[in-house]
Amino acid sequence: MGSLRGITVAVLVVQALLASVALVSAQGSSNRSRWQTLNGDVPFVIARGGFSGMFSDSSPAAYRLALLTGPTNVILWCDVQLSKDAAGICFPDLKLDNNSDITTVFPNKQKTYLVNGVATKGWFSVDYTLKDIGNVILNQGVFSRSNKFDGNNYPIMTVADTYTLLKPPGFWLNIQHNAFYAQHNLSMRNFVISLTRNVTVTVDYISSPEVAFLRSIAARFQRSTTKLVFRFLELDTVEPSTNLTYGSLLKNLTFVKTFASGIIVPKSYVWPVDSNLYLQPSTSVVLDAHKEGLEVFASDFTNDVPFSFNYSYDPVAEYLQFVDNGKFSVDGVISDFPITPSAAINCFAHLGRNASKQVDLLVISKNGASGDYPGCTDQAYTKAIQDGVDVIDCPVQMTKDGTPICLGSINLIDSTDVAQSSFSNLSKTIPEIMQGSGIFTFDMSWRDILSLTTAISSPQSEYKLFRNPKFKNVGKFLTLSEFLAMAKSASSLQGVLMFLSECCLPCRAGIWCN
Ligand SMILES: *[C@@H]1O[C@H](CO)[C@@H](O)[C@H](O)[C@H]1NC(C)=O
Ligand SMILES: *[C@@H]1O[C@H](CO)[C@@H](O)[C@H](O)[C@H]1NC(C)=O
Ligand SMILES: *[C@@H]1O[C@H](CO)[C@@H](O)[C@H](O)[C@H]1NC(C)=O
Ligand SMILES: *[C@@H]1O[C@H](CO)[C@@H](O)[C@H](O)[C@H]1NC(C)=O
Ligand SMILES: *[C@@H]1O[C@H](CO)[C@@H](O)[C@H](O)[C@H]1NC(C)=O
Ligand SMILES: *[C@@H]1O[C@H](CO)[C@@H](O)[C@H](O)[C@H]1NC(C)=O
Ligand SMILES: *[C@@H]1O[C@H](CO)[C@@H](O)[C@H](O)[C@H]1NC(C)=O
Ligand SMILES: *[C@@H]1O[C@H](CO)[C@@H](O)[C@H](O)[C@H]1NC(C)=O
Ligand SMILES: *[C@@H]1O[C@H](CO)[C@@H](O)[C@H](O)[C@H]1NC(C)=O
C-alpha cells in the first residue's frame, strides 16, 4: 500500500525527533519539567476507537493505524458494550445500527428502550449473543468520513481480544452506559473486575460519566494500577445517578476525587468558544483539577469538523493551545486523528518561534497570509512575515493610471466589493483574459481601487468552510513600490516573488500599453 509507506516514513521522523527531544531534556541543568501537567509528564495521546477519523471506529485497522502513527506510548480507547450473554465488546455507540451493518444482518429487529429515561429506538447489543454479533461487521459511522474502507469485513471484537491482538502500550475502557445495562440485568462491574483479573490483559484507565458506577468499583481499584476517570458530559446534562447536572458536579471536584483520579472534559470546558466559533479566555478547570490532584483529559478533538477561527484551520495549533500555553497543560487529549496530537506534542510544543528547518526549503506566501486576511493587503503580508515566511509574493496588476499594484487577480470582482459599488458599470467581457465578464484593474485608477472594500477569499465556501469572518473586509491594498518597501524592511525575508503574467495580457490585447 503506497499510503502506508508514507506513514512509515512519518513514524521514523517522529521517532528521530523524539530521540533528540529526550537528549535535550537529559542535558538540561534544571529538573523542572517543561510540561505543566499534573506530574510534569508528557501529555498522553488517547486514540478514540483507534485512528477512527480514517477507519471504522474500534476496528483492528483503526487500532493498528493508531499504533503505527501515534506516539510510542499511545493509549487505545475502547467503548465497552455488553452482549446478551455478558461478553464485553469494543463498539463506539450504545446502538449497534450506527457503525455496523446490523440493520441488514438482522432486519426489522429494531427495539425501543429507555436510555437515561429517554425512549430510544435502535438495535442494542443486549438483544444479541456474542455469536450473533460475530455475523456483524463494522462500518464508518460518521457519514462525512470516507466509506471506502467499509465492506472490508472488520469484525466487532471483544475487549479481551482487542487487547491480545494489539498489545497496546496503554489501554483505556470507557463505560458510557452502566445504568442501561443494569436495567437489562447485565453488570459492567462484574465485567471490568473479571477482565482486570485476567493476567493477560492490562487496563490502564476506566472512565464513565456515571458517578454510581465509578463509586461501585472505586474500592476494588484503590490499590490497583488501573486508574478511574470521571467523564463530564455537556454542562446542562443531568448525571443519572446523582440527578445533578455535570455543571454543578464540576463545582465540587473534591467530591469527584473521592472516587476518581482524573476527569475527562469536553475541550470547550477548557477553552470555550462563542457562537461565532471565536475562542474565549480559558477557564480555570485544569488548574482547579490539578489542585485537587486530578488528571485532566480533554475530549472531542477531530481534524474534520470546523473548529475555532483562532486556529486558522490548523489542528496542531489547537492541540498546542491545550498543552503548551504557558499557564497549564492537560494530561492527555482524546483524538480521532492521533497522528496530529503526536506531532503537536513531540515535534512542535515548546518551540515558540525557535523552530529550525529540517531541510532547506523556501516557504512562499500566496497573496500574503490570504487564509487569514484579504489577499495582497498590508495585513496579509504583515501576518505572513510574522508567521515566518521566507518569500512574500506580489501578483502585479496595472491600474488605469499606470500604477503597478499587487492583487491576486486582474478581475477586481475576485477580491473586492466592486460589483456592489458605483463602479459596477465598468463590467466588460474580454475573451483574451477570461470567460464571462469582469471589472479589470486597468479600467480603474489607483485612487478608485483604494476606495473599494477588500474581500477575503473563501474557496471552500460551497462546503460551508469560511475564512475568518472578523477579518473578511480588513486591510489595504499596496502598490508594487509599497510592497517592495515593506519587504525590504522585513529582515527575516529571503526575497520576494513577482508574477507578471496577467499584467501583460491587456498589453497583448491592445487595451493598455505604456
Ligand atoms: C536532578 O535530577 C538528577 C537525576 O535524576 C538528580 O540526581 C538531582 O539530584 C536532581 N536535582 C535536583 C535539584 O532536584
Ligand atoms: C453515528 O455516531 C456518530 C458519533 O459517534 C455521529 O456523529 C453520527 O451522526 C451518528 N450517525 C447516525 C446515523 O446516527
Ligand atoms: C484472558 O483473556 C484471553 C484473551 O482473550 C482469553 O483467551 C482467556 O480465556 C482469558 N482468561 C480468563 C481467565 O478469562
Ligand atoms: C432482571 O432480573 C429481574 C429479577 O431477576 C427480573 O424481574 C427482570 O425481568 C429482569 N429484567 C430483564 C430485562 O431481563
Ligand atoms: C432523580 O430524579 C428522579 C425524577 O425526578 C427520581 O425518580 C429519582 O429518584 C431521583 N434519583 C436520585 C438519586 O435522587
Ligand atoms: C463537596 O464534596 C465533599 C466530599 O464529598 C463534601 O464534603 C462537601 O460538602 C461538598 N461541598 C459542597 C459545596 O457541596
Ligand atoms: C480569538 O480571536 C478573536 C478575533 O480575533 C479575538 O478577539 C480573541 O481574543 C481570540 N481569542 C483568544 C483566546 O486568543
Ligand atoms: C527561544 O530561544 C531564545 C534564545 O535562545 C530563548 O531565550 C527562548 O526561551 C526560546 N523560546 C522557546 C519557546 O523555547
Ligand atoms: C459609471 O457610473 C459613474 C457614476 O456612478 C459615472 O460617473 C461613470 O461615468 C459611469 N461610467 C460608465 C463607463 O458608464
Side-chain angles (χ1 to χ4, degrees):
M1 252 164 77
S3 60
L4 269 185
R5 215 184 289 165
I7 285 160
T8 314
V9 172
V11 171
L12 291 177
V13 172
V14 168
Q15 284 171 345
L17 283 165
L18 270 175
S20 62
V21 166
L23 203 67
V24 168
S25 50
Q27 288 166 345
S29 54
S30 156
N31 288 5
R32 234 186 85 224
S33 168
R34 301 190 297 170
W35 296 102
Q36 293 170 303
T37 50
L38 180 63
N39 302 313
D41 298 336
V42 181
F44 285 104
V45 173
I46 300 114
R48 199 190 63 84
F51 203 131
S52 53
M54 179 103 74
F55 293 107
S56 318
D57 193 307
S58 311
S59 64
Y63 285 128
R64 282 203 184 99
L65 188 60
L67 291 174
L68 267 174
T69 60
T72 48
N73 64 346
V74 68
I75 297 175
L76 300 187
W77 165 292
C78 157
D79 281 293
V80 183
Q81 317 297 339
L82 294 177
S83 67
K84 191 176 185 172
D85 44 351
I89 54 170
C90 295
F91 194 86
D93 206 295
L94 182 64
K95 297 190 332 177
L96 299 182
D97 38 319
N98 188 357
N99 262 93
S100 85
D101 70 347
I102 195 161
T103 59
T104 55
V105 180
F106 297 102
N108 310 318
K109 287 281 183 68
Q110 197 174 27
K111 292 274 183 68
T112 301
Y113 290 125
L114 283 181
V115 179
N116 292 346
V118 179
T120 308
K121 258 189 186 170
W123 278 252
F124 294 85
S125 58
V126 295
D127 292 324
Y128 303 91
T129 61
L130 187 60
K131 193 157 169 280
D132 296 333
I133 290 171
N135 299 317
V136 177
I137 58 169
L138 291 163
N139 279 335
Q140 178 55 264
V142 180
F143 296 152
S144 56
R145 293 180 179 163
S146 176
N147 60 3
K148 286 272 189 293
F149 307 112
D150 289 358
N152 274 0
N153 284 315
Y154 296 136
I156 296 177
M157 292 190 298
T158 65
V159 179
D161 287 351
T162 300
Y163 185 87
T164 19
L165 179 71
L166 299 153
K167 302 256 170 16
F171 197 39
W172 187 307
L173 302 184
N174 179 54
I175 315 289
Q176 194 75 3
H177 287 288
N178 170 66
F180 173 80
Y181 288 104
Q183 279 164 34
H184 294 267
N185 291 347
L186 290 166
S187 170
M188 276 292 183
R189 180 174 191 275
N190 290 351
F191 171 75
V192 296
I193 289 175
S194 80
L195 182 78
T196 48
R197 277 201 190 122
N198 187 330
V199 289
T200 60
V201 180
T202 306
V203 178
D204 299 283
Y205 292 92
I206 297 174
S207 61
S208 176
E210 294 185 13
V211 171
F213 172 65
L214 291 175
R215 294 183 79 176
S216 77
I217 61 171
R220 175 65 183 71
F221 285 99
Q222 208 162 28
R223 271 184 287 278
S224 142
T225 53
T226 307
K227 294 179 175 177
L228 304 188
V229 178
F230 181 53
R231 181 178 197 180
F232 283 86
L233 303 181
E234 292 309 315
L235 286 168
D236 52 5
T237 300
V238 174
E239 192 286 314
S241 55
T242 56
N243 274 3
L244 297 171
T245 61
Y246 287 96
S248 58
L249 286 165
L250 188 65
K251 297 200 179 96
N252 197 346
L253 291 172
T254 311
F255 171 59
V256 173
K257 180 70 186 174
T258 61
F259 57 85
S261 66
I263 59 174
I264 298 175
V265 291
K267 65 187 184 185
S268 61
Y269 270 53
V270 180
W271 285 101
V273 289
D274 67 15
S275 57
N276 298 317
L277 282 184
Y278 287 104
L279 211 56
Q280 306 294 294
S282 62
T283 67
S284 62
V285 66
V286 177
L287 292 170
D288 295 345
H290 282 175
K291 223 173 279 165
E292 289 292 343
L294 290 162
E295 287 187 288
V296 182
F297 302 92
S299 68
D300 302 307
F301 288 91
T302 64
N303 290 5
D304 57 349
V305 172
F307 49 121
S308 174
F309 289 113
N310 293 62
Y311 302 124
S312 280
Y313 285 97
D314 174 7
V316 168
E318 181 177 38
Y319 289 109
L320 291 178
Q321 186 84 351
F322 284 78
V323 301
D324 179 24
N325 59 40
K327 286 190 278 186
F328 58 78
S329 169
V330 298
D331 300 276
V333 289
I334 300 165
S335 172
D336 292 11
F337 295 80
I339 193 172
T340 313
S342 177
I345 290 166
N346 293 314
C347 305
F348 292 98
H350 305 133
L351 283 180
R353 304 213 163 269
N354 293 350
S356 62
K357 284 183 183 171
Q358 308 290 310
V359 283
D360 199 8
L361 185 85
L362 284 185
V363 179
I364 305 165
S365 73
K366 161 88 188 300
N367 303 338
S370 54
D372 293 315
Y373 291 96
C376 298
T377 59
D378 52 352
Q379 302 256 30
Y381 289 122
T382 303
K383 179 74 169 30
I385 294 166
Q386 266 174 16
D387 287 349
V389 79
D390 299 304
V391 173
I392 53 174
D393 67 306
C394 171
V396 183
Q397 317 292 346
M398 280 294 177
T399 67
K400 190 177 180 181
D401 45 350
T403 308
I405 64 168
C406 301
L407 206 62
S409 162
I410 196 168
N411 177 10
L412 286 161
I413 293 176
D414 294 336
S415 52
T416 70
D417 71 338
V418 70
Q420 290 78 47
S421 76
S422 59
F423 300 102
S424 60
N425 60 359
L426 295 174
S427 167
K428 59 171 72 151
T429 304
I430 304 176
E432 289 87 343
I433 298 180
M434 57 177 274
Q435 284 188 323
S437 61
I439 299 176
F440 299 100
T441 56
F442 51 79
D443 279 335
M444 285 182 70
S445 70
W446 174 228
R447 223 186 83 174
D448 289 344
I449 290 175
L450 271 185
S451 75
L452 300 173
T453 300
T454 61
I456 203 165
S457 82
S458 260
Q460 306 298 324
S461 54
E462 64 175 298
Y463 303 109
K464 304 261 178 298
L465 290 175
F466 298 100
R467 289 178 178 172
N468 199 332
K470 263 199 181 143
F471 300 149
K472 71 178 179 183
N473 301 122
V474 304
K476 174 191 158 302
F477 294 128
L478 302 177
T479 63
L480 176 58
S481 64
E482 286 169 335
F483 166 84
L484 291 172
M486 185 171 191
K488 208 169 167 188
S489 69
S491 57
S492 59
L493 289 180
Q494 296 191 27
V496 297
L497 182 66
M498 288 188 280
F499 293 97
L500 299 166
S501 56
E502 273 189 319
C503 88
C504 298
L505 270 172
C507 189
R508 255 184 266 148
I511 293 157
W512 184 89
C513 265
N514 204 343

